[in-house]
Amino acid sequence: MGILLGAALLSCVACTSDALYVRNETLGEARWDKEDTLRFDVAVEDTDCVAQVSLHLRTSTEYPYKSLKVMVEERTTGGNFRKYPVWFATASDDGSRNGRRMTYSDLEKPLGSRRLKKDDTLHVKVYHKMRRLVLPGVVSVGVRAGE
């Protein structure tokens, strides 16, 4: 029933320079439905490269938990596949918000390096794995890739 957020978004990484793929998907009304899968497509245009990939999360003060678990699925045009959980610590044990900026918290998790070939595309899917069906206070989720 959830609306599929984020149509396949295509951008290019030029691996011979420091150019980055950066895409953040804003969630409507700062709410993330369990059925909403975010999709990111990182295309490599010019040459084989090793890209550093990271996942970004922005939450507001409305996010009620100290952590957030997401699942990441990656598939390349060449057929390589991996699926793994990523935990964001949104608050410390004393309750203070991590990554705090005024009313938002910006957090980043490095996912590691990915070897990508010329004309390859890294397809990334992200969805939350929390018990609550709809998470309030999740403003945006994004992927960054570059050398």
Side-chain angles (χ1 to χ4, degrees), residues 35-51:
E35 294 182 17
D36 292 337
T37 299
L38 305 174
R39 299 170 192 273
F40 306 90
D41 294 318
V42 181
V44 178
E45 285 187 328
D46 57 358
T47 185
D48 295 0
C49 69
V50 176

Side-chain angles (χ1 to χ4, degrees), residues 75-80 119-123:
R75 184 179 308 278
T76 62
T77 308
N80 294 328
D119 299 326
D120 202 357
T121 301
L122 176 64
H123 305 281

